[in-house]
Amino acid sequence: MRVTLTAKRGLSLAAASLIAITACAAPAFADEAIIGFDGKTHDVGVAIVSCDNTEVAYKPVLNPTSGAAVELVSPNEKDAQALLSGLQRGNLPSIALSPIISESVVPKAQQRVVFLAGMIGTAEIDHGKGKEVLFTGKRKPFASFASGSTVQRAAATKAFNATKGTLANKLLAGAAALEANGSLGVCAGKSTSAALLVAYRNDSLYNTLQTFTPSVDPKNAFSAGDSTAPSVFASVLVKPESSSSALTELRNRVGSVAAEQKVRVQYNIFVEEAKSDKVMWMSAIGAAVAAAVIAVLIFRQRRMNAASAAARKDKKKPATKATKK
């Protein structure tokens, strides 16, 4: 069958529409985190929301009574060890982060770290540039530090401070604010991976990058039963096409328990059930639209060709002579 120019244009338009629809349905990758410190008990914790397709519980470095750090870009053992060493020495954030800035295997343009050293201060590296804030004045019951945009940080800090209960509960509230106000691409408001970790005073040091390679397994990346796991270890991973938010799934499981008492939650959850396969059904809609456009164009072209053929046939017919009586 010969495809006319009009049909070709329709096919190109439909194909472009299909590509755009599929591209919009594709996942994005980003992390945001909030770190918290309990000045009374010296508990320290981290909550992370992410668009990763693997668990993110391996990313934080925790040292009870001292502080916590999270490397949000290209986590690697060398940087994690440098952060842990800084926490163990009790250094100011700027001193602890200096090895990352100068010696990291991650290019400076991609470095992104958040750091909280107990009641000493907070610091961050963003695109190779360091920034430090030291705590001054009256000692606060709780301290926090969040990554992300100015809007995200303000929302996360407000939620953290306004929420009652344990450090775990305050971190969950802060993480929810990060997700709601985030810039996680197409998964904004719907994280695919989330983790909550809180180390109590007598917990072990936590630095899984010394023993774990993230690409090994997307789920159960780090065993909750490991001897170095902190007292609160909650990690949730959902499929990218799931309509569920990993953070919502995590909050549903930790829930109100974290608000009222010390919790010792240790689990990995991989949510396999997906309510809809977004990429597939968006692609199917695009394909259906493309097929409909092409069918209409071909049908119209055939009608036009048939009409033209009929007109030419009528024009070529000889005129009939009248019979004599």
Side-chain angles (χ1 to χ4, degrees), residues 160-177:
F160 181 92
N161 293 333
T163 301
K164 305 298 181 182
T166 63
L167 178 60
N169 198 55
K170 294 169 79 68
L171 287 169
L172 285 175

Side-chain angles (χ1 to χ4, degrees), residues 87-151:
L87 288 172
Q88 289 174 313
R89 290 192 299 267
N91 284 332
L92 293 175
S94 55
I95 298 175
L97 291 178
S98 60
I100 307 296
I101 297 174
S102 59
E103 302 172 14
S104 175
V105 297
V106 178
K108 288 186 178 181
Q110 298 176 13
Q111 292 177 10
R112 186 162 171 238
V113 179
V114 295
F115 183 102
L116 187 152
M119 297 302 293
I120 301 173
T122 65
E124 66 172 323
I125 298 174
D126 192 359
H127 303 299
K129 297 180 180 180
K131 184 187 298 181
E132 182 179 46
V133 178
L134 298 180
F135 295 124
T136 59
K138 186 178 178 181
R139 189 183 183 93
K140 296 181 180 179
F142 291 93
S144 68
F145 190 54
S147 66
S149 65
T150 302
V151 172

Side-chain angles (χ1 to χ4, degrees), residues 217-304:
D217 189 355
K219 56 181 178 176
N220 300 324
F222 179 72
S223 173
D226 191 286
S227 60
T228 62
S231 290
V232 177
F233 181 101
S235 179
V236 169
L237 173 67
V238 300
K239 288 187 174 182
E241 64 268 21
S242 173
S243 60
S244 299
S245 161
L247 182 62
T248 299
E249 295 284 350
L250 189 150
R251 295 186 78 185
N252 287 342
R253 286 165 172 79
V254 176
S256 60
V257 179
E260 300 171 4
Q261 61 184 356
K262 291 266 188 176
V263 290
R264 290 189 177 273
V265 180
Q266 293 191 357
Y267 57 72
N268 305 67
I269 299 293
F270 182 60
V271 182
E272 297 187 274
E273 183 179 357
K275 295 180 180 179
S276 64
D277 189 332
K278 186 176 180 181
V279 174
M280 290 303 293
W281 69 256
M282 289 292 280
S283 298
I285 291 175
V289 170
V293 170
I294 293 170
V296 169
L297 291 171
I298 292 175
F299 177 74
R300 289 181 60 187
Q301 190 64 38
R302 284 181 173 177
R303 288 190 61 181
M304 291 172 63

